Amino acid sequence: VNSQFSNNFSQGNGGAYNGNLTTFQNLSFPEFRFTNCIFNGNGADSHGGAVFLNSESPISEFNSFFTNCTFYNNSVTDSQGRGGGLYITAGSAALTYDRPNSTTLTNCILWGNSAGTGSDLYANEDVYTNMINCIIPAAGYDIGTLTPQQSNDYCTNRNNIDADPQFIDSTGNDFRLEPPSPGSPGSPGIDAGKMVSGLFSDYRGSL
């Protein structure tokens, strides 16, 4: 919560965070929650420039939640690498109706990341992916090897925006959104987020 992960690098997976669920073998249905976090300038050689989440036997089910998070300028070095910002897979677990592996991104910005596949986000077909009121390029995410029609069954897109978020000064580490000014409407993300119960401030503590 309220954390910034910048300029980290992994020679494997997950430049800022590697959540390989074999580490959590004693947990039943673990959850990962990131709120008001900024992932900037991280990199990995293989997959998940910023965040890597992967479940393997004996762990088969998990949920992850990203709320008010920004992924910017993260990258994967390998040309075959996936998920420049975020990489999420669920091993060989079967997607079930009552307890699916799922990832929910709410009010998140995924922009300017790079990878061979899924420049901003990669998730495989065993992960139900929800993107709600996010800013992400239409070509910035990849849901496994599914066809576009199949992807609709595994990925929910609600009120997302494919437009430059217009940070005030990303090079200066200021990821606030450009406000409206004379002659400019400002960032498309202004007043475009979803109200989140129990969350009263952003990363900087502003309302």
Side-chain angles (χ1 to χ4, degrees):
V1 176
N2 297 340
S3 298
Q4 182 162 353
F5 303 82
S6 298
N7 303 319
N8 301 288
F9 186 81
S10 168
Q11 292 182 332
N13 301 309
Y17 183 84
N18 184 330
N20 191 324
L21 293 182
T22 55
T23 307
F24 302 92
Q25 294 183 13
N26 295 323
L27 295 180
S28 175
F29 206 63
E31 291 188 347
F32 297 86
R33 293 181 181 271
F34 296 85
T35 303
N36 289 349
C37 291
I38 295 174
F39 299 88
N40 172 44
N42 301 289
D45 276 339
S46 298
H47 304 300
V51 174
F52 175 91
L53 296 178
N54 176 49
S55 72
E56 297 177 357
S57 181
I59 296 296
S60 62
E61 298 172 324
F62 71 94
N63 280 338
S64 58
F65 302 88
F66 297 84
T67 306
N68 291 9
C69 291
T70 296
F71 293 80
Y72 178 76
N73 194 34
N74 303 285
S75 62
V76 170
T77 304
D78 191 332
S79 62
Q80 302 299 312
R82 300 171 177 176
L86 181 58
Y87 175 99
I88 306 169
T89 58
S92 60
L95 186 70
T96 59
Y97 180 79
D98 55 339
R99 292 183 65 183
N101 305 288
S102 70
T103 289
T104 301
L105 298 98
T106 306
N107 301 341
C108 290
I109 298 174
L110 299 95
W111 200 266
N113 304 287
S114 60
T117 301
S119 57
D120 295 288
L121 165 68
Y122 175 86
N124 75 350
E125 56 269 28
D126 287 324
V127 178
Y128 191 94
T129 306
N130 304 284
M131 291 185 288
I132 305 168
N133 292 71
C134 293
I135 296 180
I136 183 171
Y141 63 92
D142 188 285
I143 309 299
T145 57
L146 302 176
T147 66
Q149 181 57 48
Q150 289 173 317
S151 294
N152 291 333
D153 296 331
Y154 290 86
C155 180
T156 299
N157 296 300
R158 300 176 186 168
N159 303 319
N160 296 308
I161 297 172
D162 176 10
D164 188 338
Q166 299 183 39
F167 299 121
I168 287 180
D169 183 13
S170 58
T171 58
N173 211 33
D174 187 347
F175 293 98
R176 290 177 298 167
L177 302 180
E178 194 71 46
S181 62
S184 172
S187 169
I190 297 290
D191 295 329
K194 173 185 165 107
M195 292 294 295
V196 178
S197 177
L199 189 61
F200 303 104
S201 65
D202 62 12
Y203 168 78
R204 291 172 173 264
S206 302
L207 295 176

